[in-house]
Amino acid sequence: MWKKYLALWLILAGAFVTVVGSPGNVYAQANADWTEPFPPFRIAGSLYYVGSKGLATYLITTPQGHILINSDLEASVPLIRASVEKLGFKFTDIKILLISHAHWDHNAGSAALKALTGAKYMVMDADVSVVESGGKTDFQYGNVPTSLYPPTKVDQVLHDGAKVTLGGAVLVAHLTPGHTKGCTTWTMKVQEDGKTYDVVIVGSPNVNAGYKLVNNSAYPQIAADYERMFRVLKSLPCDIFLGAHGNYFDLETKYPAFQQRGVTAFVDREGYKKYVSDKEQAFRAELAKQKN
């Protein structure tokens, strides 16, 4: 038994060293809010926020165990655990682990989280190779050492439209590719104060610096995939707008309002539409620039 706990301690200790002591921390240090604790809270129904100030992680609780979306950085795992336990739930009751997409800031902690909880790791098909290679097969960052992370075995491959169910909770996986080939936007319904709300947790619509949208031999269909992603996002009914980073949906602004008036602070249908529209315009501007 002591060997098991020693192994888990070494995983977490290694995670701390990776973020604090390695060259890969240049990016992390530039985004200090990624590791800055944020008060965990119940958004609505069985949906909770357990992430940091900058990296969003969501807990969906059920009588049969819990679902977690995004493991974030390796060093995020203790923070996520503390948030889950502060809310009164057992970390080891997490039965299913999901991600928004296969970039290290959203899934580098998956190996440690799986080791600690035994959770079943479910990933969209087009991101499986990246996850299981520890980032090495990523079309953009595969040769960037600071973007790599512990390879993690995927227990179940998801496909577009897949439903992930546990204890009455139902999440739908929408393939919204471009940012990664298997970038996933999650939707679910929650009930609060006698009302039912459509929740959208956006994977990522961003065109990162250095992305080639034209003549990309590593990802030939990247522009078409972005087009598909925006079509999907615009088709989704959205009451509660959330995403993989807190700044997608103005977490810092909405949280104080949430403390005053509850879930209505996160009901932002127009904000969602504007966010998607703004990101689509940015994509089209970059595409036009690269075509010239």
Side-chain angles (χ1 to χ4, degrees), residues 57-137:
T57 303
Y58 303 95
L59 180 74
I60 298 93
T61 62
T62 86
Q64 278 70 54
H66 314 315
I67 301 170
L68 192 78
I69 302 177
N70 289 336
S71 62
D72 300 340
L73 306 170
E74 292 177 81
S76 300
V77 176
L79 183 154
I80 294 169
R81 179 172 191 164
S83 294
V84 170
E85 292 176 347
K86 187 174 182 180
L87 290 168
F89 301 107
K90 289 184 179 180
F91 190 64
T92 52
D93 282 343
I94 295 173
K95 304 300 182 186
I96 296 174
L97 173 61
L98 309 172
I99 57 171
S100 56
H101 56 278
H103 280 164
W104 67 287
D105 50 330
H106 302 290
N107 76 331
S110 293
L113 198 142
K114 276 192 68 177
L116 289 166
T117 66
K120 189 175 184 180
Y121 198 18
M122 302 182 184
V123 175
M124 185 65 76
D125 47 10
D127 267 354
V128 170
S129 170
V130 181
V131 167
E132 294 193 332
S133 70
K136 291 181 180 179
T137 62

Side-chain angles (χ1 to χ4, degrees), residues 23-24 27 104 134-136 138-149:
Y27 195 30
W104 67 287
K136 291 181 180 179
D138 182 85
F139 72 90
Q140 183 71 18
Y141 304 116
N143 294 318
V144 181
T146 54
S147 296
L148 305 182
Y149 48 85

Side-chain angles (χ1 to χ4, degrees), residues 86-290:
K86 187 174 182 180
L87 290 168
F89 301 107
K90 289 184 179 180
F91 190 64
T92 52
D93 282 343
I94 295 173
K95 304 300 182 186
I96 296 174
L97 173 61
L98 309 172
I99 57 171
S100 56
H101 56 278
H103 280 164
W104 67 287
D105 50 330
H106 302 290
N107 76 331
S110 293
L113 198 142
K114 276 192 68 177
L116 289 166
T117 66
K120 189 175 184 180
Y121 198 18
M122 302 182 184
V123 175
M124 185 65 76
D125 47 10
D127 267 354
V128 170
S129 170
V130 181
V131 167
E132 294 193 332
S133 70
K136 291 181 180 179
T137 62
D138 182 85
F139 72 90
Q140 183 71 18
Y141 304 116
N143 294 318
V144 181
T146 54
S147 296
L148 305 182
Y149 48 85
T152 312
K153 176 66 178 176
V154 171
D155 301 300
Q156 183 172 329
V157 177
L158 301 175
H159 305 283
D160 184 33
K163 291 183 178 179
V164 175
T165 62
L166 181 68
V170 180
L171 287 91
V172 181
H174 301 270
L175 177 62
T176 48
H179 188 71
T180 68
K181 294 180 181 181
C183 187
T184 307
T185 292
W186 292 98
T187 61
M188 65 180 297
K189 292 181 182 292
V190 295
Q191 285 76 41
E192 187 72 18
D193 297 329
K195 295 182 180 179
T196 299
Y197 296 97
D198 285 304
V199 178
V200 177
I201 304 173
V202 176
S204 179
N206 293 324
V207 178
N208 283 8
Y211 271 28
K212 287 184 61 179
L213 301 177
V214 179
N215 299 323
N216 189 331
S217 59
Y219 191 177
Q221 77 277 20
I222 185 170
D225 274 1
Y226 269 104
E227 295 275 7
R228 169 182 174 160
M229 181 262 296
F230 286 114
R231 287 196 300 272
V232 172
L233 292 182
K234 288 188 286 188
S235 75
L236 298 176
C238 177
D239 298 313
I240 298 176
F241 167 31
L242 303 170
H245 286 277
N247 61 12
Y248 286 10
F249 57 97
D250 295 326
L251 172 64
E252 289 183 67
T253 300
K254 290 176 179 175
Y255 180 69
F258 169 83
Q259 292 177 297
Q260 299 296 320
R261 54 189 177 91
V263 67
T264 57
F266 285 97
V267 174
D268 190 7
R269 303 174 186 90
E270 294 307 312
Y272 172 75
K273 291 177 183 177
K274 184 179 186 305
Y275 176 79
V276 173
S277 176
D278 288 348
K279 292 298 181 178
E280 183 176 15
Q281 288 180 34
F283 156 71
R284 295 194 181 285
E286 181 62 25
L287 179 61
K289 178 182 176 184
Q290 292 189 24

